[in-house]
Amino acid sequence: MTPLFGKKKGAQQERTVLILDIENGSAGSALVRVSPGKQPKLFGEIRGYTPLGFRVTGATLSGDIERAATSAIRNAGAVAGRLRNTTAGEARTKELRDMGTIDTVAVFLAPPWGKPNLEAGQPDFMPEMSQYLRTELQSVVDDAPVSFYTAAGAAAFGTRALFAPEPCLVCSVTGEVSELLRMDGHGVRAHATIPTGLHSLLRTLRTHGGLSEEEARSVAKLPFNTGHPAAEAARSAASEFAGHFKDAAKELLGPGDVLRVRIIAHEPAGEWFAQALSADESLSELFPHGGEVRAVRSHHLTPHIEARAETPDLALLLEALFVDNHFNN
């Protein structure tokens, strides 16, 4: 298919961008080749997850994320290095070596490391994490420029690009925290966070469902309301998530202000969280005229991004879309 935004005017030359995605329960990286008038090519993607403790503190989360980020950065450097050192015929060799030359770095930070500040008109980034990442990146990118963005910015941009630019509520679910973005046809109008994410579900399944971490992760992949021994614990986690979502959403909008909710989460968890909201009858207070809760899936993006993984990383796909538009406009 043709690129999502068509052929760009005044676009720059081809370049390889290292994408680094730092969330609050994982860190991922990938390389993306952006070219004027062509689909971006995503390759070398990886994601590492933090340990699932029964409780988390700021210090332990920071240390775990730093270790996951270092691993993601080193993987990107290794992929780029193999491409630069390839030998596959003269023309193909040059192409691969160019792809392995990292021209710039785009770092996307989720809370608590980075979040929108709509009042100030610019994002807030945690200096300690930003400096740590800059130091780690120096080992693989030399003097390539490093830019910081919010994960919320990529989520908002991707949602608006893929779907109609209409009023909606975007909910990005990560490990420890979820973000809510109220959007209209012009962009983000309000932002909030809630202390509930995928790890909340997993911890509830472990403590109240009597499951191991591996079993909890397997159950979290099952369709919502599937009968299993930990079903009651899963319903409890769904109720907690919906309650936190409702409390935060009430501060962002009034009843009937929006009809659509978009859920962004690592697959297949997005469908679970979408169903958790759809099944909660108390949310009818916010949506008295009904509405739609829909999980954003990787297949919504793959027609517009060349990605080789069987199930590409959703966050990295959204960030690749953001990067392609940013550098080719």
Side-chain angles (χ1 to χ4, degrees):
M1 294 182 66
T2 57
L4 183 58
F5 305 101
K7 188 174 179 62
K8 283 73 173 182
K9 296 181 179 179
Q12 301 297 315
Q13 73 280 2
E14 287 189 306
R15 68 181 72 194
T16 295
V17 182
L18 191 166
I19 294 176
L20 185 60
D21 177 69
I22 307 300
E23 299 183 354
N24 43 70
S26 69
S29 69
L31 300 174
V32 58
R33 187 69 170 172
V34 296
S35 310
K38 298 180 181 178
Q39 287 184 337
K41 297 179 181 179
L42 187 73
F43 59 99
E45 62 186 271
I46 192 173
R47 182 168 296 277
Y49 296 89
T50 59
L52 180 66
F54 283 102
R55 61 177 59 184
V56 63
T57 66
T60 58
L61 179 61
S62 179
D64 289 340
I65 287 294
E66 286 178 355
R67 284 185 284 274
T70 297
S71 179
I73 291 169
R74 291 176 179 173
N75 182 79
V79 172
R82 287 196 295 270
L83 289 172
R84 290 195 304 271
N85 293 314
T86 191
T87 55
E90 186 174 347
R92 182 62 173 159
T93 295
K94 183 182 185 309
E95 178 186 357
L96 293 175
R97 288 179 177 175
D98 287 345
M99 289 179 64
T101 301
I102 298 172
D103 299 290
T104 188
V105 180
V107 181
F108 293 85
L109 298 177
W113 327 117
K115 59 182 180 179
N117 185 332
L118 300 179
E119 291 185 3
Q122 61 184 12
D124 290 331
F125 298 116
M126 188 175 289
E128 295 83 359
M129 181 59 72
S130 301
Q131 184 55 51
Y132 177 84
L133 296 174
R134 285 187 183 276
T135 301
E136 290 298 301
L137 285 163
Q138 287 177 357
S139 64
V140 300
V141 300
D142 297 323
D143 58 351
V146 179
S147 299
F148 287 84
Y149 309 94
T150 63
F157 176 82
T159 302
R160 190 177 179 196
L162 293 170
F163 304 102
E166 57 195 357
C168 70
L169 198 60
V170 177
C171 180
S172 292
V173 182
T174 49
E176 304 291 347
V177 177
S178 297
E179 290 185 274
L180 272 63
L181 305 169
R182 179 185 174 179
M183 298 183 61
D184 62 17
H186 301 286
V188 178
R189 293 306 182 193
H191 171 267
T193 60
I194 59 176
T196 314
L198 177 59
H199 285 188
S200 304
L201 166 61
L202 297 176
R203 289 192 184 98
T204 300
L205 291 172
R206 290 185 67 185
T207 56
H208 299 293
L211 304 180
S212 66
E213 179 175 342
E214 292 72 19
E215 290 171 331
R217 290 189 181 277
S218 295
V219 168
K221 296 178 181 179
L222 296 174
F224 189 79
N225 273 343
T226 297
H228 52 76
E232 184 59 36
R235 285 193 288 270
S236 175
S239 178
E240 180 186 33
F241 173 73
H244 285 161
F245 173 92
K246 179 183 175 183
D247 290 343
K250 287 170 67 176
E251 300 297 321
L252 303 183
L253 48 84
D257 284 351
V258 303
L259 296 177
R260 291 172 174 80
V261 178
R262 310 297 187 192
I263 302 292
I264 296 175
H266 296 300
E267 294 182 280
E271 292 290 350
W272 191 93
F273 286 101
Q275 288 297 313
L277 296 183
S278 298
D280 195 293
E281 295 182 358
S282 71
L283 288 177
S284 61
E285 296 176 27
L286 287 173
F287 306 97
H289 309 300
E292 174 193 60
V293 182
R294 185 178 185 183
V296 179
R297 302 292 299 271
S298 60
H299 68 72
H300 292 127
L301 288 126
T302 48
H304 312 292
I305 298 174
E306 184 179 324
R308 297 183 178 276
E310 182 176 353
T311 303
D313 187 294
L314 180 61
L316 295 173
L317 284 173
L318 287 166
E319 289 154 5
L321 195 68
F322 179 97
V323 162
D324 181 54
N325 182 72
H326 180 76
F327 287 108
N328 275 331
N329 263 327

